[in-house]
Amino acid sequence: MNQTRHIPSAVAAAVAATLAGYADASFASLTLSTEATADTFLTSYSVQANSNMSSYGAMMISSPQADLVQGISEVRSMENLVSYDTAAIKSGFDSAYGSGNWHVTDVQLKWYTNFDIEGVPANNNQFNVPHAGYFGISYFNDDDWFDPATAGLTGLTNSDLTWNSVYGSGGTYSDLFSGEEALGTFYYPTGTTNGTTDCVSTPCAPRFWDLDLATALVNDIMSGDFLSFHGYAADDQVVYLVNQLTKPGAHPQIYITADVNPAQVPLPASAWLFLSAITGLLSYNKHRRSPYTAVSA
C-alpha cells in the first residue's frame, strides 16, 4: 500500500493563509518633487562642440540632423544632461514615515518644451527642427560635471563641459557616462503649441517620463544624493527641445513617489494556537510512518 501522504502541502497552504491574514497591507503613498540643480546639452555642431551650453534657455535631444530651414547644412547630434538634488525629498519622506522606513515606488521626470510643433524651428539656429521619434534616458553616477555651489538659479554646469570634452579623444569627461544604466526608451510625439519667449504668458507643453527603478537610482534617492540623467536619441528621427532652468515657468522637475514600509504586526494568541496545532499534526503524521514500510504501486 502506498504510504505517501499530502497533508504537509495542505498544511503549508493553511499556514501561509494564516500569516497573510495578519500582514499589514496598509500603505500611505506620498509624492514629492524638486526642480533641477543643473542642466545643459552637448552638441556635435563644429561651431559649438567646444562650448558649454548650460545657459541657453533650452537643451535638445536630437538624432543626427541638418537644419536646412535655418540655413545649417551640417549634420549634428545633441544630448542633454540634467541633475536633481534629492536631499530635501529624502528629508520629506523621513519626516512622513520615519528615517529609512520607506521605499521608492515611482520616479518621473517632468520636462517642458516651448517649441513643440513638428517642422517648426525654434528661434535660434543652434537647435534642430522638432520631429517626433524615440529617445532614451539613462542614469549615471558621476556628478562632477557641475558644482552645486556655483550652479545658481540657472543651473550652470562646469564651464569646460562640452561635446568634445565628453566625446573627444582624451577629453576631461570621457568617462562621464561610464556604467550608466538605461531607464527606458520613450516616444516624443511633438504637439500643437509654441511659446517663443517664456512659458508663463504662453503655457508650454509638459510631459512626464516614467523611469525604470534601477538599483543605483533608488539607492541614491534613499541616501538623498544628486541624481544625474542623460537624454539621447534612440532613432534617426527624434528632435526634442527641452526647456532649461533659464526658461521662466518651465523648469525641469523630478517627481518621486514613496510608500511606508510594511509594519511588523505581532500575531495574536489565537494565531499562535492554530500554528501550534498544525505543528502537532505534522509531528503526528511523521511518527505514524514507519521507516521500514515498503511503498507499493
Side-chain angles (χ1 to χ4, degrees):
M1 182 176 65
N2 192 333
Q3 299 295 318
T4 303
R5 295 173 179 262
H6 300 285
I7 292 177
S9 62
V11 169
V15 171
T18 300
L19 293 174
Y22 292 101
D24 182 13
S26 62
F27 293 90
S29 179
L30 177 64
T31 299
L32 300 176
S33 67
T34 190
E35 295 184 350
T37 298
D39 54 29
T40 192
F41 72 106
L42 310 174
T43 176
S44 67
Y45 187 32
S46 59
V47 176
Q48 296 174 312
N50 280 315
S51 299
N52 179 267
M53 311 298 288
S54 61
S55 60
Y56 281 76
M59 50 194 165
M60 178 162 275
I61 298 170
S62 178
S63 56
Q65 302 285 337
D67 183 1
L68 299 179
V69 177
Q70 298 189 101
I72 306 297
S73 59
E74 180 180 335
V75 173
R76 53 194 182 176
S77 302
M78 302 177 198
E79 304 174 359
N80 72 6
L81 289 79
V82 189
S83 180
Y84 303 88
D85 183 359
T86 63
I89 289 179
K90 176 187 182 300
S91 178
F93 288 142
D94 283 347
S95 296
Y97 302 130
S99 180
N101 192 36
W102 49 275
H103 61 283
V104 176
T105 60
D106 191 47
V107 177
Q108 294 183 325
L109 299 181
K110 185 180 184 181
W111 289 349
Y112 292 85
T113 178
N114 67 320
F115 281 91
D116 202 38
I117 300 175
E118 182 158 348
V120 179
N123 285 340
N124 195 321
N125 66 7
Q126 70 189 356
F127 299 116
N128 289 332
V129 181
H131 196 287
Y134 289 91
F135 70 98
I137 298 175
S138 289
Y139 182 70
F140 62 102
N141 284 314
D142 189 343
D143 301 321
D144 291 335
W145 55 278
F146 66 96
D147 182 352
T150 59
L153 295 177
T154 57
L156 296 177
T157 68
N158 296 345
S159 60
D160 60 346
L161 179 71
T162 69
W163 177 277
N164 284 342
S165 69
V166 173
Y167 292 114
S169 177
T172 304
Y173 300 95
S174 59
D175 294 328
L176 186 65
F177 302 134
S178 178
E180 69 177 356
E181 296 184 74
L183 302 180
T185 301
F186 309 91
Y187 182 70
Y188 168 59
T190 68
T192 59
T193 59
N194 279 349
T196 58
T197 56
D198 61 54
C199 293
V200 178
S201 58
T202 303
C204 296
R207 289 184 175 86
F208 284 90
W209 306 113
D210 200 0
L211 307 180
D212 293 340
L213 298 181
T215 300
L217 170 63
V218 172
N219 287 344
D220 285 346
I221 293 172
M222 297 292 293
S223 299
D225 291 338
F226 286 96
L227 312 178
S228 290
F229 299 95
H230 175 208
Y232 48 88
D235 65 12
D236 60 358
Q237 297 293 316
V238 68
V239 180
Y240 177 26
L241 185 108
V242 179
N243 293 124
Q244 289 179 297
L245 282 163
T246 47
K247 183 64 63 178
H251 297 168
Q253 300 159 48
I254 190 169
Y255 285 72
I256 300 175
T257 302
D259 286 335
V260 64
N261 288 339
Q264 299 298 318
V265 180
L267 290 177
S270 58
W272 285 115
L273 287 174
F274 172 79
L275 294 175
S276 296
I278 292 298
T279 303
L281 178 59
L282 285 171
S283 177
Y284 172 74
N285 180 62
K286 175 181 178 181
H287 289 298
R288 281 194 60 186
R289 298 186 197 166
S290 169
Y292 306 108
T293 301
V295 177
S296 57

